Amino acid sequence: MTLAKESIPAEAIAPPQQLSLQLDADAPHRAIASSKTAPFVGQGLAPLNQSIAPSHGEIVSARRAASRKKSKKSTAQTNGKSPRRASSPVPGGAALCQRVFTRLGCDGRPPRFRVEFYPYASLTLTIRRREEVVFVRFSDLLRRAPLPVLEGAAALLLSRVFRRKAPRALVAPYLNYARSNRTRSRVSQMRRGRVRLASTSPQGRHFDLEKMFRQLNEKYFLGNLQRPHIGWSTRSWRRQFGCYDPGPNQILLNRRMDHPAVPQVAVEYVLYHEMLHVKHPTRRSGCSLVSHSPEFRAEEKLFVNYSQARKILDRLAR
Ligand SMILES: [Zn+2]
């Protein structure tokens, strides 16, 4: 059983209009989905309109990402901060995408591309088709990236939308750039400024996460774990039980778990899993990023009712 291949099934995802790729170790860990949900990797063409974090194989609905963005915008407005961040064209972006289109072996005339840098809260790439025009957006973190990095980013997006296999050599510069320590620290730094803390209380209707955190901290961490922000998600999530976002340093649990029918041990286990993410930050190992390291996994099994909790979560995820 592995939590590394966590995903949301295709039916949770809105109609094909938009694809967004997120390669960002320090983005939230959308941890703990059912082991029964099909892993994203190897499914062929990704259902569109989703956001993917290939490092974990985790999928989140882009609709949710969009509404999150919307709510962030409205908060910014009420705070009197600049309500909208500007995008800017990528110089030579259209020609770049056409070149990549051809290099991927796509047939026919390339579509019209509009390519821009966009101030996402993460290292995100998106592609959207609207009639004849294909809109590509790169995270503005790539503004000063070398050309092969942008080509790699475009190749990742276009290969999915046009169902071509991107040659490794073409995407490698982007993957290396995205996974480098330097980029990752820039992402973390940026996220601190761009990610809004979900304003939610740890006190639910049925479970008090604050109290639970204290108890778990005493029991498993000798009281040494620094307390992050903790709360219930403001909306119900479909398949995701918990999430730790190192940007705002916040643990959120799916509010659907704040229910008398959910055994306390399951809630405790999800919180414990997210607490382990606080303790074991995602690190780089060779070419990949490790969120659930062997040490993480070993420590996770120290949870007293581990198998019982996992069974309950599998049942809840059905
Ligand atoms: Zn996790």
Side-chain angles (χ1 to χ4, degrees), residues 71-72 75 191-200 228-231 234 245-252:
S71 58
K72 188 158 53 193
T75 320
R191 285 182 66 73
R192 274 190 278 279
R194 289 185 184 171
V195 178
R196 177 183 63 109
L197 260 186
S199 49
T200 132
H229 302 282
I230 304 175
T234 41
D245 188 342
N249 187 28
Q250 182 173 52
I251 290 177
L252 289 179

Side-chain angles (χ1 to χ4, degrees), residues 32 205-207 209 212 232-233 236-237 240-242 252-271 309 312-313 316:
I32 316 200
R205 283 169 171 237
H206 302 280
F207 299 111
L209 297 177
M212 214 178 257
W232 292 98
S233 65
S236 277
W237 299 332
Q240 175 186 323
F241 294 118
L252 289 179
L253 262 62
N254 189 340
R255 67 184 292 177
R256 273 164 89 167
M257 301 196 79
D258 185 25
H259 191 277
V262 176
Q264 175 157 337
V265 62
V267 182
E268 282 172 352
Y269 168 69
V270 174
L271 183 56
I312 297 170
L313 293 189
L316 291 174

Side-chain angles (χ1 to χ4, degrees), residues 34-297:
S34 161
S35 54
K36 300 249 168 21
T37 56
F40 164 72
V41 183
Q43 271 181 356
L45 182 78
L48 293 180
N49 199 10
Q50 61 184 18
S51 150
I52 303 164
S55 52
H56 318 301
E58 296 159 336
I59 300 183
V60 199
S61 156
R63 209 172 1 173
R64 196 188 302 142
S67 63
R68 225 191 267 141
K69 210 159 49 191
K70 218 185 296 161
S71 58
K72 188 158 53 193
K73 207 180 285 172
S74 59
T75 320
Q77 273 159 351
T78 51
N79 290 348
K81 289 185 198 143
S82 75
R84 204 191 167 88
R85 300 189 202 106
S87 57
S88 60
V90 175
L96 179 145
C97 284
Q98 285 169 1
R99 228 161 39 234
V100 170
F101 180 88
T102 310
R103 281 179 71 182
L104 289 172
C106 300
D107 307 318
R109 201 160 57 93
R112 266 172 55 211
F113 288 103
R114 283 255 307 270
V115 190
E116 43 186 40
F117 290 117
Y118 189 81
Y120 289 111
S122 234
L123 192 57
T124 299
L125 314 167
T126 65
I127 189 164
R128 204 156 40 91
R129 265 174 298 192
R130 196 177 289 156
E131 285 160 21
E132 298 304 299
V133 185
V134 175
F135 296 86
V136 173
R137 277 178 166 179
F138 296 146
S139 159
D140 63 350
L141 279 170
L142 298 178
R143 215 179 271 281
R144 274 170 300 170
L147 187 63
V149 170
L150 295 182
E151 286 175 344
L156 276 174
L157 287 174
L158 298 187
S159 63
R160 295 211 188 231
V161 171
F162 296 103
R163 305 177 189 223
R164 289 291 183 278
K165 195 166 162 20
R168 250 183 115 83
L170 194 53
V171 296
Y174 176 74
L175 296 179
N176 292 337
Y177 186 89
R179 289 167 181 164
S180 73
N181 288 334
R182 187 161 171 270
T183 304
R184 289 182 49 210
S185 76
R186 285 175 65 208
V187 170
S188 303
Q189 211 172 22
M190 181 198 71
R191 285 182 66 73
R192 274 190 278 279
R194 289 185 184 171
V195 178
R196 177 183 63 109
L197 260 186
S199 49
T200 132
S201 159
Q203 176 65 63
R205 283 169 171 237
H206 302 280
F207 299 111
D208 179 2
L209 297 177
E210 168 91 54
K211 186 172 150 212
M212 214 178 257
F213 176 90
R214 274 203 308 274
Q215 288 167 348
L216 290 168
N217 198 5
E218 286 305 322
K219 190 165 174 186
Y220 295 102
F221 303 87
L222 303 168
N224 288 331
L225 197 72
Q226 275 227 336
R227 187 187 173 290
H229 302 282
I230 304 175
W232 292 98
S233 65
T234 41
R235 308 181 316 127
S236 277
W237 299 332
R238 210 183 128 92
R239 286 273 170 141
Q240 175 186 323
F241 294 118
C243 163
Y244 171 61
D245 188 342
N249 187 28
Q250 182 173 52
I251 290 177
L252 289 179
L253 262 62
N254 189 340
R255 67 184 292 177
R256 273 164 89 167
M257 301 196 79
D258 185 25
H259 191 277
V262 176
Q264 175 157 337
V265 62
V267 182
E268 282 172 352
Y269 168 69
V270 174
L271 183 56
Y272 176 67
H273 179 100
E274 303 309 337
M275 287 167 74
L276 287 177
H277 278 304
V278 178
K279 183 176 172 187
H280 300 276
T282 298
R283 62 180 169 79
R284 191 175 179 213
S285 162
C287 296
S288 58
L289 295 166
V290 181
S291 297
H292 303 112
S293 62
E295 305 87 77
F296 182 108
R297 292 296 185 201

